[in-house]
Amino acid sequence: MKILRFLRKNKFDAVLLLTCLVAVYLMTAASSDPLASWIAATSLAPVFYQFKAGNEIIFNLSAGVISSVVMFYLLVRVPAYEQKVRIRAHLLETYLHYKQEVIYIFLGILHGTIDPELAAKLMNAPEFKDYFKAPSGVSGQDRTQYIMNNIEEHHLTQIKMESEILHSELQYATTRIDIQEPELHAFTRRITKSLLRTKNWDLSYDGVEEVLGFYWQLFAGWSFVSGYQDGDPLEDRIRRL
């Protein structure tokens, strides 16, 4: 199943693989060398008998095809894959730092101090949801409502700065990595646009509600379509790039 899924996702590579396999067969059949004993003693032997004519031409063309495919992977595919791994790792590191910094801000608003161990625990989507939906102990507000009522300009400025950094990294990654999955491509485009719009966030009621709504979708895994998910949707998709 995994092989079939890979081939459907990478149709160009599937065509190259099929071409290479056909070339290997043609080169083997056109070769003047005797068949290997483990083939010669089986019913497959007639399939690899030499053709009546054109064996040298077929052999040379097949060898050329195989050499071209191998060189393509060595010179193009392998470097591109290594670049993709590096960019994905850096983007993931940037996003996790971004997530940690925003959680630090939220905890600072709630408690005035930051507990790194608690922040690390809240990197998990279900933990984040449960913690910030719990009562704050102030006027019947939960912790999310308390943040909405107590966020200040310097908090918002720091969030905007961190969002701008993440936006730049995400934009760079999506221009360097060929994202073939339509859903994954569409999601990263939406998040990139959302991060760009953070520049317009303000401390009005609607503005703060937009801020908390954005992070609730990311950090708590909330979706208007499917409800709560088990993980962070952006982190999950970065790992799939």
Side-chain angles (χ1 to χ4, degrees), residues 15-35:
V15 171
L16 285 182
L17 177 61
L18 179 61
T19 301
C20 199
L21 290 175
V22 171
V24 168
Y25 163 71
L26 292 174
M27 188 174 69
T28 303
S31 174
S32 58
D33 293 336
L35 287 176

Side-chain angles (χ1 to χ4, degrees), residues 91 163-164 166-175 179 184-199 214 218 234:
L91 178 61
S163 297
E164 187 173 350
L166 179 60
H167 172 266
S168 298
E169 293 294 339
L170 188 57
Q171 191 173 42
Y172 173 82
T174 53
T175 57
I179 305 175
L184 183 56
H185 184 269
F187 182 87
T188 53
R189 294 290 295 173
R190 289 198 303 272
I191 292 296
T192 302
K193 292 178 181 178
S194 296
L195 289 168
L196 185 61
R197 286 195 291 268
T198 61
K199 294 180 179 180
F214 175 72
L218 287 185
L234 181 52

Side-chain angles (χ1 to χ4, degrees), residues 72-90:
F72 171 77
Y73 274 93
L74 289 177
L75 298 178
V76 178
R77 277 289 194 257
V78 172
Y81 177 76
E82 291 178 344
Q83 181 190 52
K84 176 181 176 179
V85 170
R86 289 195 302 270
I87 292 174
R88 181 175 58 200
H90 181 69

Side-chain angles (χ1 to χ4, degrees), residues 49-227:
Y49 287 166
Q50 275 194 305
F51 304 108
K52 293 181 179 180
N55 286 286
E56 184 176 353
I57 295 176
I58 293 173
F59 181 89
N60 291 334
L61 288 175
S62 299
V65 169
I66 295 171
S67 298
S68 298
V69 171
V70 171
M71 292 303 296
F72 171 77
Y73 274 93
L74 289 177
L75 298 178
V76 178
R77 277 289 194 257
V78 172
Y81 177 76
E82 291 178 344
Q83 181 190 52
K84 176 181 176 179
V85 170
R86 289 195 302 270
I87 292 174
R88 181 175 58 200
H90 181 69
L91 178 61
L92 180 60
E93 181 182 359
T94 301
Y95 176 63
L96 293 178
H97 174 76
Y98 171 80
K99 185 175 181 178
Q100 182 186 63
E101 289 299 313
V102 174
I103 290 174
Y104 280 173
I105 293 171
F106 289 169
L107 292 178
I109 296 172
L110 280 170
H111 308 298
T113 58
I114 298 170
D115 181 350
E117 291 186 5
L118 174 59
K121 182 180 178 182
L122 297 178
M123 297 286 281
N124 176 271
E127 295 284 353
F128 182 94
K129 179 192 70 174
D130 293 342
Y131 185 82
F132 285 101
K133 288 303 289 182
S136 66
V138 178
S139 303
Q141 300 174 358
D142 64 28
R143 287 168 173 155
T144 301
Q145 292 168 332
Y146 183 88
I147 292 172
M148 288 183 65
N149 294 328
N150 291 275
I151 190 169
E152 297 179 359
E153 187 64 44
H154 66 94
H155 299 130
L156 197 57
T157 299
Q158 188 175 354
I159 287 175
K160 288 180 180 181
M161 181 183 68
E162 296 292 342
S163 297
E164 187 173 350
I165 294 172
L166 179 60
H167 172 266
S168 298
E169 293 294 339
L170 188 57
Q171 191 173 42
Y172 173 82
T174 53
T175 57
R176 294 297 187 279
I177 297 177
D178 181 19
I179 305 175
Q180 298 184 3
E181 292 183 45
E183 186 275 335
L184 183 56
H185 184 269
F187 182 87
T188 53
R189 294 290 295 173
R190 289 198 303 272
I191 292 296
T192 302
K193 292 178 181 178
S194 296
L195 289 168
L196 185 61
R197 286 195 291 268
T198 61
K199 294 180 179 180
N200 298 322
W201 282 351
D202 56 41
L203 292 179
S204 66
Y205 179 84
D206 290 340
V208 174
E209 192 175 52
E210 182 180 357
V211 173
L212 272 296
F214 175 72
Y215 291 119
W216 199 255
Q217 291 181 61
L218 287 185
F219 300 168
W222 167 251
S223 169
F224 288 103
V225 177
S226 56

